[in-house]
Amino acid sequence: MSGITRQLVYLSDAKFGLKMNDIQKILTSSRRNNLNDEVTGLLIYSDGVFIQILEGVQKTVETVFNRILDDNRHENVDILLDSNVDSRAFANWEMAFIESTPEELGARAGVNGALDRSEVLRLLSQDQSRVTTFLHNFASALGD
């Protein structure tokens, strides 16, 4: 897992009625598939909103993301960041998971107060460095 890595970050809305048991199923299959595909990342869930970071080889990340787009457990997908990076932020996790609060999202994004979906989208889509800082703040919270 070395060399240039594609890092894709997106935001989406969980479908109404999605339960934590459903999210656990997503995590189980993601971790299994990502281990086989050498994809790493993080799934954040906060108040009906998913923020996911995928890292890996360009084509593999594209394949995984297309599979995610076809998943009917979420909708309204917005890409926040799609770039090449020298190293993975989540290299030790096939798919880390954090259930967050709107207040924690605000703190990790560097603002005071709670953030909802539209505020996260507005703040993080304006500035790639803010997305990177946001990711690193969550990565440091996970530890190794």
Side-chain angles (χ1 to χ4, degrees):
M1 289 198 274
S2 62
I4 300 298
T5 299
R6 181 178 182 186
Q7 190 176 67
L8 187 138
V9 182
Y10 73 88
L11 177 77
S12 67
D13 296 323
K15 285 282 182 100
F16 181 75
L18 194 73
K19 307 250 185 290
M20 192 51 67
N21 184 44
D22 298 314
I23 294 171
Q24 289 302 325
K25 289 177 185 175
I26 291 169
L27 289 168
T28 298
S29 63
S30 294
R31 288 172 175 151
R32 180 186 61 244
N33 293 336
N34 290 353
L35 179 62
N36 290 333
D37 295 335
E38 295 186 352
V39 170
T40 57
L42 167 68
L43 179 65
I44 302 165
Y45 179 75
S46 177
D47 199 29
V49 175
F50 289 115
I51 302 170
Q52 186 167 19
I53 300 95
L54 301 170
E55 303 171 318
V57 175
Q58 175 78 20
K59 187 67 177 163
T60 305
V61 169
E62 182 177 330
T63 300
V64 170
F65 185 60
N66 285 331
R67 190 169 52 232
I68 289 167
L69 289 173
D70 289 337
D71 192 322
N72 65 2
R73 294 172 288 195
H74 70 133
E75 58 191 355
N76 303 323
V77 176
D78 288 297
I79 295 174
L80 298 174
L81 176 72
D82 188 359
S83 65
N84 292 325
V85 295
D86 292 328
S87 63
R88 297 173 188 236
F90 300 94
N92 296 327
W93 300 283
E94 283 80 31
M95 186 54 57
F97 175 70
I98 294 178
E99 186 173 7
S100 185
T101 64
E103 293 78 14
E104 183 182 18
L105 288 181
R108 301 251 186 244
V111 299
N112 292 324
L115 292 182
D116 65 14
R117 182 198 201 281
S118 62
E119 292 165 324
V120 170
L121 182 60
R122 181 182 55 78
L123 280 171
L124 298 183
S125 64
Q126 291 176 357
D127 183 356
Q128 183 172 336
S129 66
R130 185 170 253 172
V131 176
T132 303
T133 300
F134 181 77
L135 296 176
H136 286 288
N137 286 340
F138 272 104
S140 65
L142 289 168
D144 287 330

